[in-house]
Amino acid sequence: DGVRGMLLSEIRVDAPWDRILEDLLGRVQSALWLDSSDSLAALDGGAMDAFYPQGEAGNKGAAAAYPVIDEAVLLSDRLQGEAACVDALCAKLGPIYTVASNELALQLAGQHPGLSFLSGQGQLHAHGYSRVGMLSDDSAGMLARRNARDVAAQKLEAAEKDFARASEREGEV
């Protein structure tokens, strides 16, 4: 049927950007990843978002064409995973820069009309527009849950090693 799965299952991003990106995407975080645009014909059952590969992978939405801004990192540079998925998502989002603070995001948005700045504190600012509250306690989609699972698995592995060492020492007594 040409459906590979969910787009975000192929993309990774570190915290806090995981939760912020999910909030920014809204319902698009449930978008499908298709083999090609030809697979759209097989989709039936209402409104849905779907992404598919376009051209050569690895251009991250043509990020090289965007200006370099001190103290800001393109969101596309924070995304990892299947290159074609990252490219498709970046093409949808356009240039979004990430910065540490809300204040810097607001300042840079005023200095660079036409560009958007996302803060690590959960605010998006563009010239004449702001979106706030993107790090609310109830925002935890696929990316954030996967990151939390990975952290928990690392802690469990460390605890199991500690337990094994303690058991060995106990046996030596």
Side-chain angles (χ1 to χ4, degrees), residues 17 66-78 95-101 104-109 111-112 115-120:
W17 306 108
Y66 304 134
V68 174
I69 298 174
D70 291 337
E71 301 182 70
V73 174
L74 279 165
L75 177 61
S76 60
D77 290 339
R78 295 189 181 278
I96 297 177
Y97 291 84
T98 60
V99 297
S101 71
L104 183 57
L106 188 58
Q107 174 191 340
L108 290 173
Q111 294 171 357
H112 300 277
L115 298 178
S116 297
F117 296 87
L118 189 60
S119 80

Side-chain angles (χ1 to χ4, degrees), residues 11 85 142:
I11 295 175
C85 293
M142 177 189 303

Side-chain angles (χ1 to χ4, degrees), residues 48-90:
M48 64 187 73
D49 295 288
F51 290 83
Y52 38 87
Q54 292 291 303
E56 284 190 43
N59 69 9
K60 292 190 174 187
Y66 304 134
V68 174
I69 298 174
D70 291 337
E71 301 182 70
V73 174
L74 279 165
L75 177 61
S76 60
D77 290 339
R78 295 189 181 278
L79 302 177
Q80 304 157 6
E82 185 179 328
C85 293
V86 171
D87 289 350
L89 180 59
C90 290

